[in-house]
Amino acid sequence: MRLTAHIHSEGAQAAFRRAPEVIIKHASQGLQRAAHELAREARQLAPKAFSTLTNSIGLNLIGDLHIRVSAEADYGLPVETGRAPGRMPGAGLTDWVKQKTGLQGKALDRATFAIARAIGRRGIPPQRFMVPAAERNQDRAVELVRESVLRGIAEVNA
């Protein structure tokens, strides 16, 4: 999901023409705050087993006005979007089954195989956490960037 904020203000455009670095600095600060809030919300919504997925949610600063908020865990996307039936899942399932069931040894192997086969046959429904977090924070993000730009305009006009 992409969030884009447009500021159509004559005052903002004039301030940007006079001191673009000041306006970009302030807009970037507002955007970073919005990204932190979105990441916090996504962490709250993420399903938890080991909290690995939750702890992998963070931000990547790509540019002054471009930040990616994502789950870096290998299985973050399949959790968010679900998984269609097809091949059986690979590594990582054994740890999850052990955590959820407390099984060990052959019993753990059998349970893991049975769950993997069921996932391969039926797939997994999505457990949305990033999209709802982004949707819930969209207005707040625009507000934070707008307020930051207004502070930048005030600084340029001071």
Short mmCIF file of all heavy atoms in Angstrom, two decimals, residues 17-19 31 37 51 67 69 99 137 147 150-151 154:
data_model
loop_
_atom_site.label_atom_id
_atom_site.label_comp_id
_atom_site.label_asym_id
_atom_site.label_seq_id
_atom_site.Cartn_x
_atom_site.Cartn_y
_atom_site.Cartn_z
N ARG A 17 10.15 27.12 -2.86
CA ARG A 17 11.02 27.77 -3.85
C ARG A 17 12.17 28.52 -3.17
O ARG A 17 13.28 28.55 -3.67
CB ARG A 17 10.21 28.73 -4.72
CG ARG A 17 9.41 28.03 -5.80
CD ARG A 17 8.81 29.02 -6.81
NE ARG A 17 7.83 29.91 -6.21
CZ ARG A 17 6.53 29.65 -6.09
NH1 ARG A 17 6.06 28.52 -6.53
NH2 ARG A 17 5.71 30.53 -5.54
N ARG A 18 11.89 29.13 -1.98
CA ARG A 18 12.92 29.89 -1.28
C ARG A 18 13.90 29.00 -0.52
O ARG A 18 15.09 29.29 -0.47
CB ARG A 18 12.27 30.87 -0.30
CG ARG A 18 11.65 32.04 -1.02
CD ARG A 18 11.40 33.22 -0.10
NE ARG A 18 11.01 32.85 1.23
CZ ARG A 18 9.94 33.30 1.87
NH1 ARG A 18 9.15 34.16 1.28
NH2 ARG A 18 9.66 32.93 3.10
N ALA A 19 13.40 27.94 0.11
CA ALA A 19 14.26 27.09 0.94
C ALA A 19 13.77 25.63 0.88
O ALA A 19 13.19 25.13 1.85
CB ALA A 19 14.29 27.60 2.36
N LEU A 31 6.87 12.63 8.14
CA LEU A 31 6.72 11.32 7.51
C LEU A 31 7.34 10.22 8.37
O LEU A 31 6.76 9.14 8.52
CB LEU A 31 7.37 11.35 6.12
CG LEU A 31 7.19 10.11 5.26
CD1 LEU A 31 5.71 9.83 5.02
CD2 LEU A 31 7.93 10.27 3.95
N GLU A 37 4.46 5.46 13.81
CA GLU A 37 3.12 5.17 14.32
C GLU A 37 2.48 4.01 13.56
O GLU A 37 1.84 3.14 14.16
CB GLU A 37 2.24 6.42 14.27
CG GLU A 37 2.66 7.46 15.28
CD GLU A 37 1.74 8.67 15.33
OE1 GLU A 37 0.62 8.62 14.76
OE2 GLU A 37 2.13 9.68 15.96
N SER A 51 6.58 -14.02 18.34
CA SER A 51 6.77 -12.57 18.21
C SER A 51 7.88 -12.22 17.22
O SER A 51 8.29 -11.08 17.13
CB SER A 51 7.05 -11.90 19.56
OG SER A 51 5.92 -12.01 20.39
N ILE A 67 9.72 6.26 2.75
CA ILE A 67 9.99 5.32 3.83
C ILE A 67 9.17 4.07 3.59
O ILE A 67 7.98 4.15 3.26
CB ILE A 67 9.61 5.92 5.21
CG1 ILE A 67 10.44 7.17 5.49
CG2 ILE A 67 9.80 4.89 6.32
CD1 ILE A 67 10.05 7.91 6.75
N VAL A 69 7.63 0.76 5.37
CA VAL A 69 7.30 0.07 6.61
C VAL A 69 6.94 -1.35 6.20
O VAL A 69 6.03 -1.55 5.39
CB VAL A 69 6.12 0.73 7.35
CG1 VAL A 69 5.80 -0.03 8.63
CG2 VAL A 69 6.44 2.19 7.67
N GLN A 99 6.14 -24.94 19.41
CA GLN A 99 5.71 -23.86 20.30
C GLN A 99 4.23 -24.00 20.64
O GLN A 99 3.83 -23.83 21.79
CB GLN A 99 5.97 -22.50 19.63
CG GLN A 99 5.37 -21.31 20.33
CD GLN A 99 6.10 -20.96 21.61
OE1 GLN A 99 7.24 -21.34 21.79
NE2 GLN A 99 5.43 -20.24 22.49
N ASN A 137 -4.03 4.46 9.78
CA ASN A 137 -3.10 5.56 10.02
C ASN A 137 -2.98 6.54 8.86
O ASN A 137 -2.21 7.50 8.95
CB ASN A 137 -1.71 5.00 10.37
CG ASN A 137 -1.67 4.47 11.78
OD1 ASN A 137 -1.54 5.24 12.72
ND2 ASN A 137 -1.83 3.17 11.94
N GLU A 147 1.29 19.16 9.27
CA GLU A 147 1.75 19.97 10.40
C GLU A 147 3.24 20.26 10.31
O GLU A 147 3.69 21.37 10.61
CB GLU A 147 1.43 19.26 11.72
CG GLU A 147 -0.03 19.22 12.07
CD GLU A 147 -0.34 18.34 13.28
OE1 GLU A 147 0.60 17.73 13.84
OE2 GLU A 147 -1.52 18.28 13.66
N LEU A 150 3.85 22.87 7.70
CA LEU A 150 3.48 24.19 8.23
C LEU A 150 4.58 24.75 9.14
O LEU A 150 4.87 25.95 9.11
CB LEU A 150 2.15 24.11 8.97
CG LEU A 150 0.91 23.90 8.10
CD1 LEU A 150 -0.33 23.70 8.96
CD2 LEU A 150 0.72 25.07 7.14
N ARG A 151 5.20 23.88 9.94
CA ARG A 151 6.34 24.33 10.77
C ARG A 151 7.50 24.77 9.88
O ARG A 151 8.19 25.74 10.18
CB ARG A 151 6.77 23.23 11.73
CG ARG A 151 5.87 23.08 12.94
CD ARG A 151 6.47 22.22 14.03
NE ARG A 151 6.68 20.84 13.61
CZ ARG A 151 5.75 19.89 13.62
NH1 ARG A 151 4.53 20.16 14.03
NH2 ARG A 151 6.03 18.66 13.23
N ALA A 154 6.72 28.19 8.49
CA ALA A 154 6.93 29.20 9.53
C ALA A 154 8.42 29.49 9.70
O ALA A 154 8.82 30.65 9.88
CB ALA A 154 6.32 28.72 10.85
#
